[in-house]
Amino acid sequence: MPHSIRIHSFPLSGHAHRVELFANLAGIAHEVINVDLAGGEHKQPAFLALNPAGQVPVIEDGSTVVTDSNAILVYLARKYAPSWLPSDPVLEAEVQKFLTLAAGEIAFGPAAARLITVFNAPLDAEFCATVAARVLGKIDAHMEGRSFLAGDAPTIADAAVYSYVAHAPEGGISLEPYPNIRAHLARIEGLKGFKPMPATKVGLAA
């Protein structure tokens, strides 16, 4: 590539981490630019010019700007790592299902539970735990006899789901009841180029 992707990120954001993780796993040249969320950098004109929503992640690929973590995964896979987004319609639909799960039940379950403990978000911990149990149960059942979420090789679905599921214990959500999930996380962590998200010692991870 003539240039590297610029990823505007924040170390403790699972949404941003899934983009960094995928770029690393897929060997996509990139540089990470950490945004000072605590200092309000994401609300300043320079950042809002990139993403009017004032959220990370955002990528710059030359003159192209892409926002939303799952949209970024699709863009990067289509352009630079097509094997991570299958062209087979059945497998592509399976990938899309997990992108939706990442933006839905994972976001409102384990991700939201972690927001409470890491960022003191004013959310309902009991509701988050209920949603987390439901979605983790679904994923664990799906992973029975499988190595990856969609097909026999890793895809952007695995990158999309990994970050918040792996860090669910920080939100007080135990992964002990889900052996297939724990095996799946270990499988991703064993891939060449794996990049962890910084741990926060809160919840069950304290």
Side-chain angles (χ1 to χ4, degrees):
M1 284 186 291
H3 63 271
S4 67
I5 308 294
R6 291 162 56 90
I7 302 174
H8 297 267
S9 185
F10 178 70
L12 297 182
S13 164
H15 286 76
H17 176 258
R18 64 175 58 139
V19 172
E20 291 187 44
L21 172 63
F22 173 58
N24 264 49
L25 292 176
I28 299 170
H30 65 281
E31 62 175 310
V32 175
I33 301 162
N34 284 322
V35 179
D36 181 8
L37 300 188
E41 185 181 352
H42 58 306
K43 300 300 183 184
Q44 298 304 309
F47 187 84
L48 292 174
L50 292 174
N51 184 6
Q55 298 173 334
V56 294
V58 179
I59 68 163
E60 293 179 89
D61 183 12
S63 61
T64 299
V65 176
V66 186
T67 64
D68 182 86
S69 59
N70 287 343
I72 292 169
L73 294 180
V74 171
Y75 172 85
L76 291 177
R78 278 277 181 248
K79 188 168 183 180
Y80 297 111
S83 67
W84 286 77
L85 182 54
S87 58
D88 175 81
V90 174
L91 288 179
E92 186 172 6
E94 193 80 348
V95 168
Q96 181 59 55
K97 180 176 75 175
F98 284 102
L99 296 185
T100 299
L101 203 69
E105 287 179 281
I106 289 175
F108 294 111
R114 180 176 169 272
L115 285 177
I116 296 171
T117 56
V118 177
F119 300 105
N120 297 312
L123 301 172
D124 184 336
E126 185 177 349
F127 173 78
C128 295
T130 299
V131 176
R134 183 169 66 236
V135 69
L136 292 175
K138 285 182 187 178
I139 296 172
D140 197 71
H142 174 81
M143 288 306 301
E144 182 67 36
R146 299 173 185 263
S147 295
F148 298 100
L149 288 170
D152 299 324
T155 66
I156 58 172
D158 300 285
V161 166
Y162 174 85
S163 305
Y164 286 121
V165 171
H167 288 258
E170 294 177 4
I173 307 299
S174 175
L175 295 178
E176 284 304 311
Y178 312 109
N180 295 327
I181 285 179
R182 287 186 278 110
H184 177 236
L185 297 177
R187 204 168 289 119
I188 296 172
E189 290 159 7
L191 294 174
K192 181 181 179 182
F194 172 78
K195 177 179 184 177
M197 182 165 76
T200 305
K201 295 188 179 302
V202 294
L204 298 178

